[in-house]
Amino acid sequence: MMITGRAVLAPAGDADATPLYDDLPAHSAPVLAGFSVRERLGRKGTSTFDRATALAVVACGEALRDAGVDLTTVDPARVGLVLGTTVGSLASTMDFSRETLVQDKPYLVNPMQFPNTVMNCAAGQSAIWYGLRGVNATVAGGPIAFLQAMRYAVRAIEKSQADTVLVGAVEEFTPHTAWSSALSGTVAAGEAATVFVLRRAVTGMAEVLATAAGFTPADGPGALPGCVRRALAQAGASPEQVWAMATGDHLDDGEAGAVEAALGRRPLDLSPRARYGDCGAAAGGLALAAVLDRRADAPADAVAVVTGRARDGAVAAAVIRTVPE
Amino acid sequence: MSDHTEHLEELREIVAEVLELEPEEVADAGDFVDEYDADSLRAIEILARIEKKYKVDIPQSELNDMRSLKAVYTVVARYAGWRD
Amino acid sequence: MAGLTLRARVVVTGLGPVSSIGIGVTAFRAALREGRSGISPIESFDAEGFPYRDAGEVKDFRPETYLTRLSPAAWGRSAQLAAAAARLAAADAGLPDDACADAGVVIGTTSGESQVVESLVAQQVAGGFAAMDPGTLRQFPAERLAAGVATELGLAGEVLTLATACSASNYAVGYAFDCVARGDADLMFAGGADSVCRWAQAGFHRLGALTESACRPFDKGRAGIITGEGGAVLLLENADHARARGARVYAEVLGYGVNCDARHMVAPDEDSIAACMRLAHQDADVKPDEIDYICAHGTGTPANDLVEARAVRQVFGERIPPVSSIKSMLGHTMGAASGFGAIATTLAIADGFLPPTINWTTQDDELPWIDPVPNVARPATVRIAQNDGFAFGGNNAITVFGAAR
């Protein structure tokens, strides 16, 4: 299964977020300060998009272009989309719900915002924008959502539910996420949209050789080493073949340690870590992008491991073989 | 400006905003659905904004008759008691 | 995949409904047969100011009765509903605790931990963002629905939450079916969960899609949905695995189809739904004239039921099987809806009856070809049945079940 295109919308670093929002725990944050959906896609049809949806629609378009997918020549029923998220747009749901408390009557909500309260809004609107009528799914997995989406997408193609699947994850920065991170005492909230184009092909950027998933309760020993070993076994790759790893961790070194436990050594660590803030569901996409960025350095016949783990104990891993440029 | 013109222009602005258009793009007789891609959500929001602005209650059953600016004006005038 | 790759047969061996018409399979089956209504005045939030104040709440749900590992204080209501439903499914399947370890779970949802999010909103309205409670913030991620099940049952397999709105349980059953059919797992828990919340009550009311107290799908006078909640989980099992342990088999999962309208976020699309039915039939390797019963999406809105009925006619032609909607009893349980539909479909096959569409009084001349099984359950031999699920975002998903062989 080949990755034939990609789009990464991620901030270059911290920026002044006050032109975007008034009520923030800190003025500076890892946000896409210059992002304007109106500039990118025009006014028509975009004014009701929340930020997560806007980022997703733009990233899907960039990924399709990057992969050279011409939607006028392929059957749209054979093109799918799988997106990862944490809760969709927390701002959309909270603000919509807030209206039910502060308006004269609780039902005086804006009907045009109601679709934004469902977590599959970004995937649904992206499908509408580009006319993607194949399998369309939204995976709510938080930090491992991107890898889960990849797993879902690979299966959809293997099952012949689609020929081409856009697979990605998106997380928006709003006062809601910024305060949530600040009050929870974690890394500052960031935002990113990462979308990759997946299909059966002989050429491309990288091959997805295997994915695996597992679980142990949060207070257990951790399921990641076993998950990485299973993914490698499925890929037919030995631990010695792993030249690089990229984790979704932004808290500590725990994930890298788990990969080391699985491999018996620590390969080149390309984890983006806190470079983009906590990008939630998009963390795995940023990790994969970090591997693709360094594909010129990959030894022949070597593989990279991309991992993620969620706080409650779910883990996932993918084994990637990059294709030389 | 007469009351009639003023009300019509206010309604035009509401309709334009909800349908993502400039006010001058909304013709008096232009069909919201066929010409401006309106859907039921936008129609309900137009109704909601009108109700808020003029403090009137208009039942959703009137929406079927509110497919152009002119038609909207007629319905709102009836409920708001405009005699312009 | 049908016809090209060998796949393992997948059977349903456990059912776990946590619903407004009954908790556990015995109570739920009896309620379906009786045509009981689970609709009652809203108690989970202050419904003052809402013109319509009824919902399908699971008022008898006492999480501590079912949950042995999850602390209700640390997990949101939707995770608790999902975990309790999975507990019941495991018990119904006669699975001892230690036999679940390699199992996985897929839970579908529309609004995840909506009541947790609404607690945050109340805190924010009262004291600004800074007043949000860290303990509450810990509970809002939707991934906790599947994680709650896995924690409660001690699972080590794949743990996935699918958020494809109101067809999400069918997505979950489909994904779990693939896991078992491919041989990735012998046991998968699959279903959905959602909780009644203010924002859904307000949003559907604003769309004019809410009705006052009796949801009447396919009736001429149908006026909308009633919001509902619950947890609905099925245990899917490799058929050989089930036979080896002597498990009781309710029905077989034959396949499923998913597609996307890609036209409108909330308006259903006849052609796209018809296409999804054909995809499901193809995957299940069945023909329309082999299907004995359709457990409808049947929300009770004028638009949904008309579009669904037309799609059925498009696909089934002259021979249209009975089509009933259990939303007449449960209300619209959102992400759990097609999970309850899957349980009802399974029971229809296993026990030989069609669940009724209650509150039905008047034939709609626009859809005369629909036999909604009005008001009273009907004895019937159901060999193959389909379970419809449609959603905001145009996410259609349909599952197909067959009699145990």
Side-chain angles (χ1 to χ4, degrees), chain A residues 150-200:
Chain A
M150 178 66 84
R151 211 169 143 70
Y152 194 110
V154 167
R155 285 190 173 195
I157 295 174
E158 284 175 355
K159 197 181 156 79
S160 192
Q161 286 177 324
D163 300 321
T164 303
V165 178
L166 278 71
V167 52
V170 58
E171 212 72 76
E172 64 181 14
F173 176 92
T174 62
H176 312 67
T177 63
W179 280 101
S180 174
S181 294
L183 295 165
S184 305
T186 62
V187 170
E191 66 180 344
T194 59
V195 177
F196 300 81
V197 178
L198 195 68
R199 57 191 301 254
R200 288 189 199 277

Side-chain angles (χ1 to χ4, degrees), chain C residues 33 322 352-356 371-374 376-381:
Chain C
R33 281 187 181 279
F353 75 102
L354 305 180
D371 163 13
V373 194
V376 182
R378 185 187 301 165
T381 302

Side-chain angles (χ1 to χ4, degrees), chain A residues 23 97 100 107 109 120 125 133 136 138 140 142 148 151-152 155 158-159 161 179 183 215 311-312, chain C residues 51 118 129 138 143-144 155-156 158-159 161 163 171 178-179 182 184 198 206 256 260 283 392 395:
Chain A
D23 189 358
S97 180
T100 72
Y107 55 86
V109 289
N120 58 340
Q125 293 283 17
R133 297 196 352 250
N136 184 288
T138 298
Q148 291 176 317
R151 211 169 143 70
Y152 194 110
R155 285 190 173 195
E158 284 175 355
K159 197 181 156 79
Q161 286 177 324
W179 280 101
L183 295 165
F215 187 89
R311 201 164 160 186
D312 294 300
Chain C
E118 296 206 316
F129 281 116
R138 173 80 183 82
E143 76 226 34
R144 299 194 95 220
L155 311 183
E158 180 159 10
V159 174
T161 301
Y171 270 81
D178 284 339
C179 287
R182 293 164 52 111
D184 296 344
R198 292 179 67 90
R206 198 57 166 157
Y256 73 102
C260 185
D283 188 53
F392 277 17
N395 284 175

Side-chain angles (χ1 to χ4, degrees), chain C:
Chain C
M1 195 157 105
L4 293 175
T5 317
L6 279 178
R7 61 185 190 190
R9 283 172 50 206
V10 182
V11 294
V12 180
T13 55
L15 300 174
V18 179
S19 83
S20 61
I21 60 170
I23 299 177
V25 66
T26 305
F28 187 74
R29 177 199 287 120
L32 288 182
R33 281 187 181 279
E34 281 168 30
R36 193 181 302 159
S37 169
I39 308 306
S40 61
I42 291 172
E43 286 177 6
S44 60
F45 61 83
D46 177 6
E48 180 71 34
F50 282 99
Y52 301 156
R53 286 182 282 245
D54 282 351
E57 292 175 327
V58 191
K59 289 190 168 135
D60 297 337
F61 181 52
R62 308 273 174 277
E64 59 283 359
T65 308
Y66 309 98
L67 305 178
T68 59
R69 294 197 184 122
L70 285 197
S71 153
W75 295 79
R77 181 173 177 87
S78 296
Q80 292 174 30
L81 288 165
R87 259 281 171 229
L88 289 169
D92 184 48
L95 266 192
D97 228 20
D98 54 357
C100 290
D102 291 332
V105 56
V106 193
I107 296 295
T109 189
T110 294
S111 303
E113 292 295 7
S114 52
Q115 292 191 359
V116 173
V117 171
E118 296 206 316
S119 299
L120 294 172
V121 171
Q123 293 160 9
Q124 182 224 357
V125 167
F129 281 116
M132 293 192 299
D133 167 54
T136 314
L137 286 167
R138 173 80 183 82
Q139 293 182 22
F140 78 74
E143 76 226 34
R144 299 194 95 220
L145 272 59
V149 173
T151 303
E152 173 63 26
L153 294 178
L155 311 183
E158 180 159 10
V159 174
L160 182 65
T161 301
L162 291 172
T164 47
C166 299
S167 59
S169 282
N170 264 350
Y171 270 81
V173 169
Y175 189 88
F177 165 73
D178 284 339
C179 287
V180 179
R182 293 164 52 111
D184 296 344
D186 290 329
L187 295 164
M188 289 293 293
F189 292 88
D194 258 299
S195 306
V196 159
C197 69
R198 292 179 67 90
W199 91 62
Q201 191 73 11
F204 283 108
H205 186 87
R206 198 57 166 157
L207 295 195
L210 211 57
T211 195
E212 188 160 6
S213 56
C215 171
R216 45 183 89 245
F218 303 110
D219 187 282
K220 186 179 173 65
R222 67 186 181 276
I225 71 160
I226 289 183
T227 63
E229 67 177 3
V233 171
L234 301 85
L235 178 64
L236 272 49
E237 183 166 358
N238 176 295
D240 294 335
H241 189 272
R243 191 179 308 114
R245 71 177 184 91
R248 178 244 353 254
V249 172
Y250 283 104
E252 180 170 352
V253 189
L254 299 179
Y256 73 102
V258 291
N259 73 351
C260 185
D261 298 345
R263 282 188 60 183
H264 194 276
M265 279 298 288
V266 309
D269 180 322
E270 177 190 333
D271 289 343
S272 182
I273 286 169
C276 188
M277 288 180 190
R278 294 189 182 103
L279 288 170
H281 296 168
Q282 190 188 343
D283 188 53
D285 199 17
V286 301
K287 296 188 173 52
D289 64 9
E290 294 177 280
I291 289 175
D292 299 317
Y293 168 60
I294 298 173
C295 189
H297 186 59
T299 59
T301 64
N304 174 83
D305 296 0
L306 180 62
V307 169
E308 186 172 12
R310 285 180 172 163
V312 164
R313 187 179 56 175
Q314 201 187 113
V315 173
F316 287 77
E318 293 301 305
R319 184 203 163 276
I320 295 172
V323 180
S324 73
S325 171
I326 60 171
K327 289 187 179 72
S328 59
M329 298 177 248
L330 294 164
H332 194 337
T333 57
M334 307 293 158
S338 51
F340 284 122
I343 293 175
T345 303
T346 300
L347 289 172
I349 292 169
D351 296 344
F353 75 102
L354 305 180
T357 302
I358 66 167
N359 304 318
W360 194 92
T361 60
T362 314
Q363 171 88 48
D364 183 349
D365 296 338
E366 286 198 82
L367 33 99
W369 58 89
I370 294 294
D371 163 13
V373 194
N375 302 315
V376 182
R378 185 187 301 165
T381 302
V382 183
R383 282 166 300 254
I384 298 176
Q386 86 180 40
N387 174 43
D388 290 355
F390 316 134
F392 277 17
N395 284 175
N396 306 311
I398 295 171
T399 47
V400 182
F401 297 82
R405 286 181 277 177

